[in-house]
Amino acid sequence: MDQDSHCTAERELLEAVSRITTSSTTSPSDKEENQPKAEISCQVRKENPEKDDTQDSSATLSSNSSMTTKELQEYWRNEKRQCKQTKLLFEIPSTRIVEHHLSKYVVYKIIILQTGSFDSNKSVIERRYSDFEKLHRNLLEEFSEEMEDITFPKKTLTGNFTEEIINERKLAFKDYLRLLYSMKYIRRSKKFIDFLTRPELQEAYGCLRGGQYTKALEILLEVIGLQERLTRGNPVAIVPTLCAIVVCHKDLENPASAFEYGEKALSCLRVHTSHRYYIPLLETMITLAYELGKDFLSLQDKLEEWKTKKDPVRVFTLKELAVREYVR
């Protein structure tokens, strides 16, 4: 969406909120008060085709939804924020050659930047040629039609470690990632997201299982920002990482930081109370709230409410769940 179209969409959203707010205030008993919401929601989606990237079920209105004026205003504020699609840029500024006893390979340094952001919003990862090759094979299995015009740099029998070949591949892989990200279904696919995050998450969880909480936390905090940008519109996807951060902070005796990330995780699960992390997270948050002198009764009420609706089942602790992630 260009700047003019974006401004137009923002103005129409604000006007819509004003109209609906006025209507809610003057005619609260009007049975048709929810109708404009659905119509405006459709209009926004038409003007913002990339809106498909933000499919959070909790942010979707139906014609039968009943919301207070305050809730409606908050809904439209979220809609307006989501009209600005997060876009990522990929740079490969450098490489390094790794030599082991029986192998030698090139590692490509990939910098992932959010458009319009500064260094604080960048992520840095490293991948080998074989990692790119595996990604390409996996994507071809699921997206063969979408990828029929995408070329992948082939291996050569000789010269793989020459400066010329390495520089060519740097440019080729940069274009390759850019093209993949430009395709909606691919950039939202688990295979693409795993390529960009899984190795680091595997390392982090390995450190967590080994009791290296400081190292695990350092890696997880690096990954979570990239995960959030890649999975925008699907907040549940980042819950395991947020909970692992809670576990690390808790074991490092940083209860305030653990509680902060726990609140983020609970926010992601507000309409997903059947999620496997929900109850262990609630139990941990009650303990942290009590320790910090915060209100834990509301959390306790949520836990009791869940127990009355569900059959008693064995629930792992938050730490037990975390150490089971990414076990090979």
Side-chain angles (χ1 to χ4, degrees):
M1 180 186 296
D2 57 33
Q3 187 173 1
D4 291 339
S5 299
H6 175 68
C7 292
T8 300
E10 283 196 0
R11 284 197 301 272
E12 292 181 355
L13 279 170
L14 291 173
E15 290 171 2
V17 171
S18 177
R19 289 197 300 272
I20 298 172
T21 302
T22 303
S23 174
S24 300
T25 305
T26 57
S27 319
S29 61
D30 187 352
K31 295 181 180 180
E32 300 299 322
E33 70 176 45
N34 287 315
Q35 186 62 30
K37 302 176 203 171
E39 295 175 353
I40 296 166
S41 180
C42 292
Q43 181 181 0
V44 172
R45 279 169 168 73
K46 287 179 182 177
E47 294 174 351
N48 299 277
E50 288 296 330
K51 183 66 173 60
D52 289 340
D53 281 347
T54 53
Q55 293 184 334
D56 184 0
S57 60
S58 66
T60 301
L61 281 178
S62 70
S63 59
N64 295 320
S65 63
S66 61
M67 303 176 74
T68 65
T69 300
K70 183 177 179 181
E71 290 172 335
L72 184 60
Q73 289 172 331
E74 180 61 27
Y75 168 77
W76 283 116
R77 275 196 292 270
N78 290 333
E79 285 285 294
K80 191 176 98 170
R81 281 196 293 267
Q82 291 179 357
C83 281
K84 298 180 181 179
Q85 182 200 357
T86 298
K87 294 188 184 241
L88 301 180
L89 301 176
F90 298 88
E91 298 289 343
I92 304 181
S94 62
T95 62
R96 60 187 178 92
I97 297 176
V98 177
E99 293 190 62
H100 292 303
H101 295 297
L102 300 175
S103 65
K104 181 179 179 182
Y105 54 87
V106 178
V107 174
Y108 298 85
K109 180 180 179 180
I110 306 168
I111 297 179
I112 305 163
L113 296 162
Q114 182 175 323
T115 54
S117 67
F118 296 98
D119 287 349
S120 60
N121 288 320
K122 76 178 181 182
S123 300
V124 181
I125 60 175
E126 289 187 326
R127 297 293 182 267
R128 301 170 52 176
Y129 179 95
S130 58
D131 296 323
F132 280 98
E133 193 174 39
K134 181 181 178 181
L135 170 67
H136 192 69
R137 287 197 308 269
N138 289 339
L139 291 177
L140 281 174
E141 292 175 0
E142 189 174 351
F143 305 103
S144 56
E145 291 185 8
E146 289 88 344
M147 297 184 63
E148 60 183 0
D149 295 325
I150 296 181
T151 57
F152 186 81
K154 303 295 184 182
K155 279 186 176 179
T156 59
L157 294 176
T158 60
N160 285 298
F161 301 100
T162 64
E163 184 177 352
E164 181 182 1
I165 293 296
I166 290 174
N167 285 334
E168 285 179 3
R169 285 184 178 168
K170 279 169 54 178
L171 295 174
F173 284 140
K174 174 184 172 180
D175 287 341
Y176 178 73
L177 291 173
R178 177 182 59 80
L179 286 171
L180 292 182
Y181 185 77
S182 70
M183 291 182 278
K184 178 176 61 180
Y185 296 108
I186 290 181
R187 71 168 170 263
R188 284 163 38 180
S189 71
K190 184 177 185 300
K191 293 175 180 177
F192 182 67
I193 293 171
D194 278 353
F195 169 78
L196 295 171
T197 61
R198 189 178 181 87
E200 286 72 24
L201 287 171
Q202 286 178 327
E203 181 184 359
Y205 279 97
C207 292
L208 192 158
R209 284 188 288 273
Q212 297 175 281
Y213 301 115
T214 300
K215 180 63 176 176
L217 182 60
E218 178 185 337
I219 300 171
L220 290 168
L221 291 175
E222 287 285 332
V223 175
I224 189 64
L226 178 57
Q227 268 192 308
E228 287 174 333
R229 295 192 290 273
L230 289 169
T231 61
R232 188 176 183 185
N234 182 24
V236 176
I238 65 171
V239 166
T241 305
L242 288 172
C243 289
I245 292 173
V246 172
V247 169
C248 289
H249 274 306
K250 189 171 184 294
D251 280 23
L252 289 170
E253 299 183 355
N254 300 324
S257 296
F259 191 83
E260 176 188 348
Y261 281 93
E263 284 187 314
K264 291 181 181 179
L266 275 181
S267 176
C268 294
L269 294 177
R270 63 187 181 277
V271 293
H272 301 280
T273 56
S274 61
H275 195 279
R276 60 197 173 97
Y277 270 91
Y278 182 68
I279 293 306
L281 178 59
L282 261 184
E283 292 174 338
T284 299
M285 290 294 285
I286 291 170
T287 302
L288 289 169
Y290 182 80
E291 181 179 349
L292 293 167
K294 294 179 179 290
D295 172 32
F296 64 89
L297 294 178
S298 60
L299 296 169
Q300 188 72 48
D301 289 342
K302 289 181 181 179
L303 181 61
E304 294 303 323
E305 180 184 357
W306 186 91
K307 287 181 177 179
T308 60
K309 292 180 180 179
K310 304 287 183 180
D311 294 330
V313 293
R314 180 172 181 261
V315 178
F316 292 109
T317 66
L318 197 66
K319 189 171 183 177
E320 287 173 337
L321 277 180
V323 298
R324 283 168 168 76
E325 294 285 347
Y326 293 94
V327 176
R328 295 183 181 182

